Amino acid sequence: MRSRWTKIAALAAGLVMWSAQSAVASDTVGWKTVSTNSNWYCGAYVGHSETTVWNSQWMKFKACTVVNNSGGAQAVLVVQNSNPTDGFYMEMGRVVFESQRGGDVWCAPSNLSAGMTRGCYGPTVPVGKCYYPIVPKVELKINGDTDVAYGRTDARTGCDF
């Protein structure tokens, strides 16, 4: 009898550990074009420390929140390469947003050509109408150095007033 309860307890503990691990995992997504409108709330561009040459920060990035009228929101890591001739390799990107609702995402390693702007889009998560989502945090790793940027605090999903 005792071994039966031990097996049940071990199975239950394994299920709890498996479900906890799967809850924190987030997808890895590719980079897409960026086209903003009035539903985008972006923080200021931050120059990446690894791409600063002669006081010019070639790679700039920012965190944006995109809201809709249905009570959904998503965060986007937007990266801009303002170097006129050289591309940069982005080792890693990360979006941290409404983590308990599944809004986090990893951004696939990628080259960003000269003059290009691209976005790494987290999933749209339901947050409710008239809701101010958590401010997104984004990370960008270049040449082994990870820099961080934050979004704005005034993004709000649509209201039915």
Side-chain angles (χ1 to χ4, degrees):
M1 184 75 158
R2 182 178 218 180
S3 66
R4 179 178 159 190
W5 288 112
T6 303
K7 289 178 184 177
I8 291 172
L11 178 63
L15 286 173
V16 168
M17 289 178 63
W18 176 80
S19 65
Q21 281 184 316
S22 63
V24 296
S26 56
D27 293 329
T28 299
V29 300
W31 296 84
K32 300 178 182 178
T33 58
V34 174
S35 179
T36 62
N37 61 30
S38 62
N39 292 336
W40 285 62
Y41 296 84
C42 298
Y45 271 113
V46 174
H48 196 285
S49 59
E50 282 296 309
T51 66
T52 302
V53 179
W54 302 299
N55 291 327
S56 294
Q57 292 176 317
W58 297 122
M59 289 288 277
K60 298 174 184 175
F61 67 106
K62 62 183 175 180
C64 297
T65 303
V66 185
V67 298
N68 65 39
N69 289 328
S70 302
Q74 74 180 137
V76 183
L77 165 56
V78 177
V79 182
Q80 181 180 70
N81 180 357
S82 58
N83 188 304
T85 58
D86 296 326
F88 287 96
Y89 180 68
M90 301 178 294
E91 294 172 52
M92 185 265 317
R94 178 90 170 121
V95 175
V96 180
F97 177 71
E98 295 288 345
S99 299
Q100 298 79 4
R101 300 175 200 262
D104 296 351
V105 73
W106 291 97
C107 311
S110 181
N111 288 308
L112 189 61
S113 299
M116 300 296 291
T117 300
R118 291 291 181 262
C120 174
Y121 292 74
T124 299
V125 294
V127 294
K129 291 190 172 205
C130 281
Y131 179 79
Y132 289 92
I134 293 172
V135 172
K137 172 187 170 187
V138 296
E139 302 173 1
L140 182 62
K141 183 177 183 179
I142 299 174
N143 292 336
D145 187 28
T146 303
D147 288 357
V148 176
Y150 295 91
R152 289 174 33 187
T153 60
D154 60 342
R156 184 176 77 176
T157 57
C159 300
D160 290 331
F161 295 142

